[in-house]
Amino acid sequence: MRPDRLNPLFAAADSLKGVGTGLARPLEKLGLTRIRDFAYHLPDRFVQRRAVANLDEASVGENIVVALTPVEHRSSSGRGPFRVLASDALGNICALSFFGRSSYSAKKQLPVGELRWVAGRLDQYGQMLQMVHPDHISEASSAALGQLTEPIYPLSEGLTQGRIAGLVLQALEQVEPLPEWIEPGLLDKMQWPAWRDALALAHKGEHPAARDRLAYDELLANSLALLLVKQSNRARVGTPLKGDGSRRSRLQLPFPLTGAQQRSIAEIEGDLTQTAPMLRLLQGDVGSGKTVVALEAMLIAVEAGAQAALLAPTEILARQHFETLSRMAAGTGVEIALLTGRDKGRPREAILMGLLDGSIDIVIGTHAIFQDSVSYRNLALVVIDEQHRFGVGQRLLLTQKGRRTPHCLAMTATPIPRTLTLAQYGEMDVSKLDEMPPGRQPIDTRVVAVERIGDVVGAIARHIETGQQAYWVCPMVRELETEDIAAAEARFAELRERFGDKIVLVHGQLRPEVKDAAMERFARGEAAVLVATTVIEVGVDVPNATLMVIEQAERFGLAQLHQLRGRVGRGSGKSTCLLLRGTALSETARERLALMRETQDGFRLAEEDLRLRGGGELLGTRQSGDTPFKVAQLEQLQRLLPLAHDDARLLVERDGGLTGDRGDAARLLLYLFERDWGVQLLRGG
Ligand code: ADP
Ligand code: MG
């Protein structure tokens, strides 16, 4: 249970003044549902505003505060904005422009003839000066004078800077000091402020030390939780699994294993013979052959008289694994079953029975395989595919399933940089598949301007005439998922004009049956083109699909592009990836796409991605990327994570039960960052 003193921080957002039903949605979108979230909603940046006596003193593009008196309200005609014409002390006119619903409040805030302080960015509109959606409008006077530093917060539709800033201030007022969890020596050395001060400072201006401290807190919480998992895992009892080779020797693979595969299997085999449950991460680029390694591991479990389960993130992938593994293991006499959320009634009962009486050796499925209604006779190994899709909490639940703690093998194709491996998987041992199966041809990657989309469609037509297949990937980048889906559907409709029923569509909002049916048509070769949102990112394996088009490629991270591209180049034929790019690209975006052309090494791309993003591509965008962190930015991660990890390790070594004073404080920290599963383990283990 969460310590009482944290309750005010976890009070719901609507305890703040001014948060009614209207704001709940936009706030939720930003993840702001509790007081704590507001306190940690850190500004993207700050603007320096200059107070000017009149508009002559300001230049276009500048952020200013100026006293203005509204002289006229001009209602919007049709689609134009609502404008308030306002005059400064010298009679210079500036138009204050408002779009959409904000015009209602503007009307009230800017009555004709009454002096107001207005803060915003001065622009030019035709011959006229204008401010679009001023950041602040107030009646107060002298407070607004002088140099002003103002936070700029991440926003969502329906919110304004002023609104958010006000709510954050209210939230901060409710923050009481907490005991220090950072090692005092480190705190001194870094000259970091205390926790509450750091929060206050981080909202006030550029305070790198305050920001670092807050990031460090988050990293420390994460490392600590992961190390507690590791600690509790060591104390648990698993089933030592020693295979006799009887099943594996009957495995007929169409290829020899790579050195890396053999090495990984040996490492896993070593772990499985131990009483302590295995907690191992198998990291290998897309196509490096993780599935076979998983199969070998599961066969060891079966040889030892136990059951194994393979958890896939999607139904599509579960099905595909089932088919692949059933084929590979055909000669081994092992009973393999598929269980997904869609299995109902009799077939489902039969599978549940088989798992209970042990007649099923290996089950493959989605999280349905770990529902309460599913019991195993002797589950001793859990393999989790595409680990990054699952949260750590979920990962832990799985290992509670057997009578004894099952061994756990997590697989991921996300080639994350070393620093992040530590952060995300700190509690695990790692095996790396750093060698590709032989015979893979490099994927010919090209960057094409979107204006040439007609040529691209032509290329697809020629491509499928040769009997090969193609992917067309639409990005998921808009604020609203539905808009992305709409874009994908629009593209699909367009392409269908050309390709008729040879084309299918897959996205996250289709019913599972519809989605699977489309996937299956594509996998069987009946459909030649698959239009998809990023749901195909994970695992889909159709060797005959050798052309991929990725729309708005500049909007994807390198790691994700790499994942997507890995869907082609699976067979021995030549494969092509066309990255469609928009027109106005930033320098970094260009560099990213160039890198995609240059290399196919996932680990290198991951490092570069971190470097490029860490450098801060755009002002005002969050850069935590695909990390599990909200406060710590990539650059801080690299700098501070090793420190946090060492610190956490020391703490666990000295006070593994978190019972001392610092241990107590550390518990608060774990709750604060919702890594409290770490604490739960303390009690359970
Ligand atoms: P991933 O690591 O992305 O899960 P898969 O296990 O799906 O990769 O393997 C990708 C492809 O490579 C599959 O078609 C698989 O049969 C093949 N493959 C795996 N290991 C080898 C190997 N040692 N030699 C040749 N092909 C292999
Ligand atoms: Mg895979």
Side-chain angles (χ1 to χ4, degrees):
M1 269 255 291
R2 183 194 309 134
D4 287 345
R5 66 190 303 171
L6 292 181
N7 285 349
L9 286 169
F10 283 86
D14 54 20
S15 63
L16 295 173
K17 274 195 285 296
V19 180
T21 42
L23 276 191
R25 273 272 290 280
L27 289 175
E28 213 177 292
K29 226 171 180 183
L30 291 171
L32 304 178
T33 59
R34 300 152 310 178
I35 300 297
R36 160 208 185 281
D37 307 327
F38 288 86
Y40 275 108
H41 192 60
L42 301 181
D44 277 333
R45 61 196 163 92
F46 292 85
V47 286
Q48 295 291 336
R49 260 187 232 296
R50 205 158 63 86
V52 294
N54 58 66
L55 292 167
D56 288 346
E57 283 182 12
S59 21
V60 168
E62 211 181 347
N63 284 298
I64 56 166
V65 182
V66 64
L68 297 174
T69 308
V71 291
E72 184 188 339
H73 285 183
R74 276 201 191 154
S75 297
S76 66
S77 51
R79 304 159 97 238
F82 167 68
R83 289 207 166 88
V84 176
L85 301 188
S87 157
D88 70 3
L90 303 179
N92 295 310
I93 296 289
C94 176
L96 310 175
S97 307
F98 301 87
F99 291 86
R101 294 197 327 184
S102 60
S103 42
Y104 299 115
S105 50
K107 222 173 251 177
K108 271 191 245 149
Q109 282 179 293
L110 293 162
V112 171
E114 287 188 29
L115 187 77
R116 290 288 182 267
W117 285 94
V118 181
R121 200 185 113 106
L122 192 64
D123 286 324
Q124 190 137 22
Y125 172 73
Q127 296 296 335
M128 209 190 296
L129 290 172
Q130 98 166 333
M131 269 189 214
V132 180
H133 288 201
D135 296 322
H136 297 285
I137 299 167
S138 69
E139 297 173 38
S141 55
S142 56
L145 290 172
Q147 292 280 346
L148 300 177
T149 301
E150 210 171 274
I152 300 296
Y153 289 102
L155 286 184
S156 63
E157 216 173 304
L159 282 168
T160 61
Q161 288 299 339
R163 234 349 176 358
I164 278 279
L167 294 172
V168 167
L169 274 183
Q170 270 191 67
L172 287 175
E173 277 164 18
Q174 305 194 21
V175 176
E176 300 288 339
L178 291 175
E180 188 55 72
W181 45 73
I182 295 183
E183 213 263 307
L186 182 67
L187 203 67
D188 273 359
K189 184 171 145 225
M190 303 303 246
Q191 306 212 319
W192 283 339
W195 173 71
R196 189 179 62 165
D197 299 341
L199 273 177
L201 287 170
H203 287 279
K204 254 189 214 141
E206 314 268 0
H207 283 285
R211 288 292 275 242
D212 277 358
R213 191 241 140 92
L214 298 176
Y216 183 86
D217 287 346
E218 185 179 34
L219 299 175
L220 182 63
N222 192 66
S223 287
L224 193 55
L226 293 175
L227 288 168
L228 291 174
V229 174
K230 188 164 190 168
Q231 171 186 270
S232 98
N233 202 65
R234 258 201 228 107
R236 275 170 204 269
V237 185
T239 314
L241 300 173
K242 201 157 167 38
D244 58 7
S246 59
R247 308 288 186 161
R248 280 171 289 167
S249 63
R250 283 150 71 190
L251 193 61
Q252 283 172 340
L253 295 177
F255 44 72
L257 295 174
T258 64
Q261 285 170 323
Q262 287 171 17
R263 219 169 26 248
S264 301
I265 293 168
E267 284 163 357
I268 293 165
E269 195 169 5
D271 285 358
L272 292 177
T273 60
Q274 310 293 314
T275 315
M278 169 171 77
L279 208 50
R280 183 171 286 277
L281 179 71
L282 178 63
Q283 215 181 3
D285 216 337
V286 182
S288 60
K290 293 185 288 297
T291 318
V292 179
V293 176
L295 178 58
E296 296 261 359
M298 293 193 289
L299 289 180
I300 294 174
V302 177
E303 286 170 11
Q307 292 169 301
L310 190 156
L311 176 71
T314 62
E315 292 208 11
I316 293 176
L317 202 53
R319 201 164 299 276
Q320 198 157 58
H321 273 321
F322 175 69
E323 276 155 22
T324 314
L325 294 178
S326 300
R327 213 178 320 120
M328 280 188 189
T332 63
V334 168
E335 196 57 43
I336 305 182
L338 174 72
L339 181 65
T340 70
R342 269 202 293 149
D343 294 302
K344 303 258 150 63
R346 277 263 178 82
R348 182 182 149 87
E349 290 305 315
I351 293 170
L352 294 192
M353 204 45 136
L355 290 173
L356 192 60
D357 68 17
S359 56
I360 294 174
D361 302 303
I362 295 176
V363 65
I364 295 167
T366 53
H367 56 271
I369 60 179
F370 292 107
Q371 278 161 0
D372 283 341
S373 52
V374 186
S375 302
Y376 293 83
R377 186 174 124 86
N378 187 9
L379 178 64
L381 170 65
V382 173
V383 180
I384 307 177
D385 195 19
E386 305 302 347
Q387 159 72 48
H388 64 286
R389 288 286 177 112
F390 298 95
V392 182
Q394 212 169 346
R395 198 195 300 164
L396 290 174
L397 285 185
L398 303 186
T399 53
Q400 314 287 331
K401 195 71 190 177
R403 248 180 307 131
R404 294 170 166 229
T405 304
H407 298 278
C408 178
L409 175 68
M411 309 200 288
T412 179
T414 321
I416 48 179
R418 268 204 314 281
T419 39
L420 295 189
T421 310
L422 193 63
Q424 235 149 317
Y425 305 110
E427 86 279 32
M428 300 184 138
D429 300 310
V430 178
S431 295
K432 242 184 193 179
L433 290 183
D434 49 9
E435 176 188 353
M436 280 290 179
R440 294 282 156 78
Q441 292 210 23
I443 300 165
D444 181 14
T445 303
R446 292 183 224 168
V447 180
V448 184
V450 67
E451 290 81 11
R452 291 181 46 210
I453 197 165
D455 298 346
V456 171
V457 173
I460 292 187
R462 286 192 301 281
H463 180 79
I464 65 178
E465 247 162 52
T466 67
Q468 300 174 83
Q469 292 161 282
Y471 295 106
W472 186 293
V473 183
C474 302
M476 295 290 267
V477 290
R478 290 171 188 76
E479 224 174 303
L480 294 169
E481 195 198 359
T482 46
E483 287 176 19
D484 281 313
I485 302 282
E489 282 184 338
R491 179 65 72 210
F492 172 68
E494 249 172 68
L495 291 171
R496 198 171 41 189
E497 302 265 297
R498 172 88 184 238
F499 299 113
D501 62 359
K502 285 215 266 322
I503 182 167
V504 288
L505 172 71
V506 172
H507 61 65
Q509 281 183 6
L510 294 175
R511 273 184 294 125
E513 307 88 84
V514 178
K515 201 158 53 180
D516 284 5
M519 271 316 298
E520 265 165 44
R521 281 197 62 209
F522 188 70
R524 271 193 255 115
E526 292 163 21
V529 182
L530 174 72
V531 178
T533 54
T534 37
V535 287
I536 60 158
E537 185 189 337
V538 208
V540 176
D541 190 11
V542 182
N544 188 45
T546 48
L547 173 64
M548 173 173 282
V549 178
I550 304 179
E551 271 194 70
Q552 298 190 50
E554 72 273 14
R555 311 197 64 166
F556 291 91
L558 276 180
Q560 207 183 5
L561 282 177
H562 178 67
Q563 287 266 316
L564 284 167
R565 181 172 60 181
R567 296 301 120 210
V568 296
R570 304 218 127 198
S572 50
K574 174 176 166 297
S575 289
T576 309
C577 178
L578 302 178
L579 303 173
L580 287 187
R581 65 157 177 83
T583 32
L585 288 199
S586 71
E587 196 48 46
T588 317
R590 258 172 227 286
E591 217 178 310
R592 274 217 216 117
L593 295 183
L595 266 168
M596 284 302 295
R597 235 170 20 211
E598 200 179 291
T599 182
Q600 242 160 276
D601 178 341
F603 286 97
R604 163 141 189 247
L605 285 170
E607 298 285 352
E608 294 287 341
D609 204 15
L610 186 62
R611 184 180 65 78
L612 289 174
R613 288 204 277 181
E617 149 137 325
L618 295 161
L619 276 176
T621 52
R622 297 265 139 165
Q623 318 236 325
S624 46
D626 304 323
T627 76
F629 303 110
K630 298 201 176 92
V631 179
Q633 307 284 288
L634 284 170
E635 177 277 324
Q636 290 172 312
L637 213 66
Q638 278 177 300
R639 203 157 34 84
L640 300 173
L641 185 66
L643 278 179
H645 206 72
D646 287 347
D647 196 7
R649 196 179 304 133
L650 269 179
L651 181 58
V652 171
E653 271 167 23
R654 283 189 205 141
D655 181 12
L658 299 185
T659 50
D661 281 351
R662 211 183 142 211
D664 267 347
R667 279 173 193 249
L668 293 175
L669 175 71
L670 289 171
Y671 277 101
L672 188 61
F673 282 102
E674 304 184 279
R675 302 297 204 273
D676 40 305
W677 34 267
V679 186
Q680 318 286 339
L681 282 173
L682 283 180
R683 209 177 315 116

